[in-house]
Amino acid sequence: MVHLAYVDDSGDSRHGTTLSALIVEDQHWSGLLEAWLQGRRAIHKEFGVPKNRELHSTELYKGRGALCETAAQNARFTQRSRAAAGRIMLAELGRFEHFDIATIATSEVRKPLVYAKFIAWLEDWAAARNTHLMVFYDGQQGLAAPDSEPTPEELTELWTTAVRNAGPYRKVHRELELSSRRIVEDVIMQDSQFSQLIQAADLIAYGAYQKHRQSHPEIWRGPGSPSVDAIRAYMRLRPRWSPDSDHGVHWLG
């Protein structure tokens, strides 16, 4: 049995980091993607947000970027509409039953160290279920932006940069004990603009962080208030939280 874990981070660079995984068994992967795409079709019909337009939580909930197909649709895509779009996406995802979500939170802010903690946690998760995991993490793939025409030299530079940036995360995988490890292969970097399920992980990660921030202001001591819109969307996924978690979040200190 093999599960796929789509991972993205959120948090506060001063006080800590969260990492969230959208986890699905390989045989249910197509059903999960179809549930997400049903949400994409719904917000396209309702608001004019095309399926190939990247959904990024900070853009969506903070009112940034022109996400719709026309200027008129963008003018009508108010903060209230953006909040509704987030709820639609995670509600449609949540209609599919065969997946899990898991988030770890820590006061550590160095991403490679946070990632190492998360991989250790995922190893325990996989061992408890007698399965293995492949990890897809939000990051550069060495691919050019859509509709661009880079030169061969630019493509080489993109690839070189992507390989270099993934180095600390590959190192975490390669330091696992080969004979017993549950995380298979190196980390697979997936640029969110090319991956629908990394975009789903992004919305989940942001919502989980905002919910934990709301519940634990003593940890996340920052200005401003948690995003109620992101939290309301995230709450659509309550059935997928593990019962021993704090609203889907595991605090690792």
Side-chain angles (χ1 to χ4, degrees), residues 10-11 19-20 31 49 58 76 80-81 89 102 106 113 120 127 134 145 156 170 179 181 186 197 210 218 221 232 253:
S10 192
L19 270 178
S20 295
V49 180
T58 55
R76 293 193 297 270
R80 183 175 180 179
S81 298
M89 291 306 308
T106 172
L113 297 184
M134 294 188 71
T156 298
R170 283 196 305 273
S179 62
R181 60 185 280 183
D186 290 341
L197 291 182
Q210 296 297 331
E218 76 282 3
R221 304 179 303 275
R232 286 174 177 165

Side-chain angles (χ1 to χ4, degrees), residues 18 37 40 47 54 58 68 75 78 82 93-94 101 104 147 177 194 204 217 219 222 230-231 239:
T18 66
L37 292 177
R40 296 299 315 238
F47 305 113
E54 180 182 3
T58 55
C68 303
T78 62
R82 288 169 179 256
L93 192 70
I101 59 172
I104 64 98
D147 301 323
E177 177 59 44
F194 301 110
I204 292 167
I219 295 173
I231 293 169

Side-chain angles (χ1 to χ4, degrees), residues 122-139:
L122 288 175
E123 282 269 307
D124 292 340
W125 184 96
R129 291 157 179 80
N130 193 27
T131 189
H132 291 79
L133 279 166
M134 294 188 71
V135 177
F136 300 81
Y137 189 55
D138 183 24

Side-chain angles (χ1 to χ4, degrees), residues 19 111-121 169 172 175-176:
L19 270 178
K111 286 187 177 181
L113 297 184
V114 178
Y115 185 76
K117 287 188 175 188
F118 195 32
I119 289 299
W121 191 93
Y169 307 103
V172 171
E175 288 178 346
L176 297 171

Side-chain angles (χ1 to χ4, degrees), residues 7-245:
V7 178
D8 201 1
D9 61 85
S10 192
D12 182 334
S13 61
R14 294 163 298 177
H15 302 112
T17 311
T18 66
L19 270 178
S20 295
L22 171 61
I23 306 173
V24 61
E25 191 178 350
D26 56 351
Q27 66 175 321
H28 296 303
W29 175 85
S30 60
L32 180 67
L33 180 58
E34 173 56 32
W36 175 259
L37 292 177
Q38 181 60 36
R40 296 299 315 238
R41 287 189 284 269
I43 65 170
H44 178 252
K45 180 179 179 181
E46 182 71 20
F47 305 113
V49 180
K51 186 177 69 175
N52 60 353
R53 176 59 166 88
E54 180 182 3
L55 281 184
H56 194 277
S57 55
T58 55
E59 284 188 346
L60 185 65
Y61 294 117
K62 293 186 178 182
R64 299 172 182 168
L67 302 183
C68 303
E69 291 177 309
T70 70
Q73 288 169 329
N74 277 312
R76 293 193 297 270
F77 199 44
T78 62
Q79 191 64 38
R80 183 175 180 179
S81 298
R82 288 169 179 256
R87 293 195 301 273
I88 289 169
M89 291 306 308
L90 294 191
E92 289 294 343
L93 192 70
R95 294 183 194 279
F96 187 71
E97 297 181 356
H98 304 292
F99 73 97
D100 297 284
I101 59 172
T103 298
I104 64 98
T106 172
S107 58
E108 178 62 64
V109 296
R110 289 168 292 181
K111 286 187 177 181
L113 297 184
V114 178
Y115 185 76
K117 287 188 175 188
F118 195 32
I119 289 299
W121 191 93
L122 288 175
E123 282 269 307
D124 292 340
W125 184 96
R129 291 157 179 80
N130 193 27
T131 189
H132 291 79
L133 279 166
M134 294 188 71
V135 177
F136 300 81
Y137 189 55
D138 183 24
Q140 291 174 289
Q141 290 179 281
L143 299 178
D147 301 323
S148 66
E149 296 183 5
T151 66
E153 292 77 15
E154 289 170 335
L155 284 172
T156 298
E157 179 60 28
L158 285 169
W159 176 250
T160 301
T161 301
V163 171
R164 184 187 305 116
N165 289 346
Y169 307 103
R170 283 196 305 273
K171 184 173 183 290
V172 171
H173 286 227
R174 295 183 181 188
E175 288 178 346
L176 297 171
E177 177 59 44
L178 185 59
S179 62
S180 60
R181 60 185 280 183
R182 295 284 178 165
I183 306 294
V184 301
E185 262 295 350
D186 290 341
V187 60
I188 302 168
M189 307 306 284
Q190 288 275 77
D191 191 326
S192 58
Q193 66 180 325
F194 301 110
S195 172
Q196 293 286 347
L197 291 182
I198 288 290
Q199 292 176 40
D202 173 74
L203 262 62
I204 292 167
Y206 191 72
Y209 162 61
Q210 296 297 331
K211 179 58 181 173
H212 201 254
R213 184 181 172 210
Q214 182 187 65
S215 301
H216 297 281
E218 76 282 3
I219 295 173
W220 308 100
R221 304 179 303 275
S225 301
S227 170
V228 174
D229 293 336
I231 293 169
R232 286 174 177 165
Y234 175 68
M235 296 298 286
R236 268 52 180 183
L237 298 176
R238 277 175 289 186
R240 307 276 73 81
W241 300 341
S242 59
D244 61 338
S245 67

